Each structure stands twice: as C-alpha cells, then as structure tokens.
Amino acid sequence: MNLLYCGDSKMQQGILLSILSFMKNISQPLKVYILTAHILTRHKEYQPLSDQMIAFLQQVVHQQNPQSSVQKFDITQLFQAQLPQANMATRFTPNCMLRLYADLIPEIPERLLYLDADVLCHLDCSKFYEQDLTEVEVVGVLDQYGKWFFHNQLQAFDYLNSGVLLLNLQQIKRTKLFARCRRQCRYRPMFMPDQAALNHFCRHKRIAEKKYNEQHQLHSDTVLQHFTTQIHLYPYLHLQTIKPWQIKQVHQILKIHDYDDLFTTYQQLAQSSPFTSYCPHT
C-alpha cells in the first residue's frame, strides 16, 4: 500500500502515529512517501523533515515487514520554481500545498493514498485503496462543513475534504490536474488553497462513504478518522482542535480510547528514540 504524507519537521509526531495506525491494521507492505521542503515566508520558516527521522521511521516499518519502506523527497527546488506566491501567508501552512507537486516526482507510484498527518487508520482500508480507478483522478469524502455550503445547494457541487485522497497519478498527469492547481495557488488567493484548487479543477472524482474520512465522531465502522477542527455552539460559539498525538485531550475531551494500544506503542517509540522533542507523548 502506497501512502503519501507532506509536511515539515513539526509534523513528525503525527506522521509517526499515523504510520503506526496503518501498521496495526494493514497486513500488506507499506511504501511510505514523504514530501517535505525548506520554506521561508515573511513571518515564518519551515524546516524539512530530517534524514535522521526518516531513518527512524524506516527502522520502525522495516521491523514489522522487511518489504515496507519510507522514502523522503525534499522538493524545495520544485516548490521554489513554482512558488504559490498568492497563498504563502494563509492561516494554513504552505506545506499543505506540497501534495500538488507529487506528479513531478518520477519515483512516486501511480496509485497513492494521500493522508494528512492527523489521520489515523481505525480499520483495514484495503478495499478502499484497491478500488478501480479507471478514468478517475481522485477519490475522496465530502467535506464535513463544505458539503452544506456546496453539495446541498440547488446547484450541487461535490466539495471534497483533502485530508484523505486516493490519487490516480497517471490520470492526474494526463489531465494536468495538479499543474492547474499549482498555477491557481500561484496567482489566486484562497482560504484553503490546496483544497479549494483541487475541488475547482477536479472533473473526474468519485465520492466515497464518510467512514473513509470520518471528520466528526468515531463510529464502530469508521475506517479512517481525520482529527479536524470542529465548530461547537455550546456553551458559546468556538472552534476546537484536538490532534491524535494530544493523547490527554483525546481521552478527556473526545472520550476516545480505541487507540490506546496504538498510543502505548507510540509513547514507547517516542521515549526510546532520539526524537523525543519532536514526538511529545502527551
């Protein structure tokens, strides 16, 4: 199973935890690809994932299955060559747009499951991953909030959440989907630039059941859980963001204990590795 993550050094704890969740639920070898870059904006600097962390992740997956692997691509030069200038200062990190460069890397396979670093595998997702992708660019789940603004209107628009995407890179290259998205991000300011561009240009999409990108509440049939920001009305209107590596909050606020064995493994690895500062266990 080919997995794609994107991010900077601060996403290491999420990527580790997400990979562990797939190791628990997927029997086949995992081929993990990570896109990272050194990004400098007017207000912030993002450091790429280190080679030491990649070597650590490679050791983790290889111990379970010698055929599994982790490979890093530092795409700083690619990113700079097609800089998304109009969207470098949004409330979302520029690293979100790194996925839009996957078609430019020959070593990355054609079938790819893209995952945000805050996605955990709750049940085996092999059926979702192995579905027929003939003439399909992207398979995804409707966005939890976007579907009310777009999908349920008189002129329905299938607005996908970009945190879990099954990608057909062969088709994406043929239609130039990612190339169009990169150009859009370069010249047009957007609130959620990568997600907005993907939804605008994707014409060959397939909508999957919400259990393949559960963005709200864990259910017994949830396959992939995405720990997104939630809007709460009580006791007052506010946003709540809890990530899976914030284990105390997951237990105390979200009341989720389904991942406790996973959290134990994660904590042990984080404590025994030289990357404890990047992989906090609380």
Side-chain angles (χ1 to χ4, degrees):
M1 183 175 290
N2 303 319
L3 307 180
L4 174 66
Y5 297 93
C6 301
D8 63 348
S9 60
K10 292 185 178 180
M11 289 295 100
Q12 293 177 145
Q13 67 269 37
I15 292 174
L16 170 60
L17 189 53
S18 184
I19 290 175
L20 288 173
S21 72
F22 278 84
M23 290 171 58
K24 174 186 174 182
N25 291 287
I26 305 299
S27 59
Q28 60 184 289
L30 299 177
K31 303 295 183 181
V32 181
Y33 302 90
I34 300 177
L35 303 188
T36 190
H38 176 253
I39 301 175
L40 183 63
T41 69
R42 288 191 302 173
H43 305 290
K44 198 167 183 179
E45 183 175 8
Y46 301 89
Q47 297 294 340
L49 276 82
S50 68
D51 291 339
Q52 293 95 327
M53 187 62 189
I54 299 301
F56 172 64
L57 293 174
Q58 167 72 13
Q59 181 183 12
V60 170
V61 301
H62 197 261
Q63 284 179 344
Q64 184 189 53
N65 191 323
Q67 293 181 301
S68 296
S69 62
V70 179
Q71 189 171 2
K72 179 183 87 168
F73 295 93
D74 188 326
I75 62 169
T76 301
Q77 292 184 348
L78 286 176
F79 188 79
Q80 291 294 332
Q82 300 185 44
L83 195 68
Q85 294 174 329
N87 293 279
M88 293 293 286
T90 71
R91 69 180 295 268
F92 300 94
T93 165
N95 288 279
C96 293
M97 292 177 279
L98 295 182
R99 79 192 85 180
L100 301 178
Y101 296 76
D103 61 324
L104 300 178
I105 304 171
E107 296 89 341
I108 290 184
E110 294 175 354
R111 181 182 293 262
L112 204 60
L113 179 57
Y114 169 80
L115 302 152
D116 280 355
D118 56 357
V119 174
L120 294 184
C121 183
H122 182 249
L123 298 173
D124 188 348
C125 64
S126 297
K127 181 179 178 181
F128 174 76
Y129 177 80
E130 294 167 359
Q131 66 183 283
D132 178 44
L133 294 179
T134 303
E135 297 186 358
V136 175
E137 295 167 303
V138 173
V139 182
V141 174
L142 293 177
D143 186 79
Q144 176 183 200
Y145 297 113
K147 65 184 178 183
W148 298 109
F149 294 104
F150 299 107
H151 187 72
N152 292 334
Q153 301 302 310
L154 292 177
Q155 293 183 333
F157 176 57
D158 297 325
Y159 189 83
L160 302 180
N161 179 274
S162 61
V164 177
L165 296 173
L166 182 60
L167 305 175
N168 181 350
L169 280 187
Q170 182 182 38
Q171 183 75 354
I172 286 171
K173 292 174 184 177
R174 189 184 69 81
T175 62
K176 296 181 171 54
L177 171 61
F178 281 0
R180 295 177 183 179
C181 291
R182 291 192 297 269
R183 179 175 176 81
Q184 182 92 331
C185 290
R186 182 177 181 87
Y187 295 110
R188 181 178 176 182
M190 293 170 283
F191 175 60
M192 294 181 288
D194 55 305
Q195 182 167 286
L198 280 167
N199 276 284
H200 180 75
F201 288 108
C202 185
R203 294 294 178 267
H204 305 280
K205 68 180 74 171
R206 180 180 297 148
I207 301 174
E209 298 175 75
K210 63 177 292 188
K211 66 181 181 180
Y212 294 112
N213 182 0
E214 176 54 62
Q215 304 154 54
H216 180 57
Q217 186 174 359
L218 182 66
H219 302 280
S220 60
D221 67 340
T222 296
V223 178
L224 299 171
Q225 183 177 8
H226 188 186
F227 288 73
T228 59
T229 296
Q230 302 293 315
I231 299 175
H232 291 277
L233 301 177
Y234 182 83
Y236 54 87
L237 180 63
H238 67 284
L239 301 178
Q240 175 181 282
T241 302
I242 297 175
K243 297 305 180 183
W245 54 87
Q246 297 174 308
I247 299 174
K248 287 184 178 179
Q249 292 92 322
V250 171
H251 285 161
Q252 296 174 4
I253 300 176
L254 299 182
K255 309 299 183 184
I256 295 176
H257 290 271
D258 294 57
Y259 303 109
D260 283 1
D261 56 342
L262 179 67
F263 291 154
T264 298
T265 302
Y266 165 77
Q267 290 172 326
Q268 291 171 346
L269 285 171
Q271 290 174 345
S272 64
S273 77
F275 310 104
T276 305
S277 60
Y278 295 118
C279 302
H281 54 276
T282 57

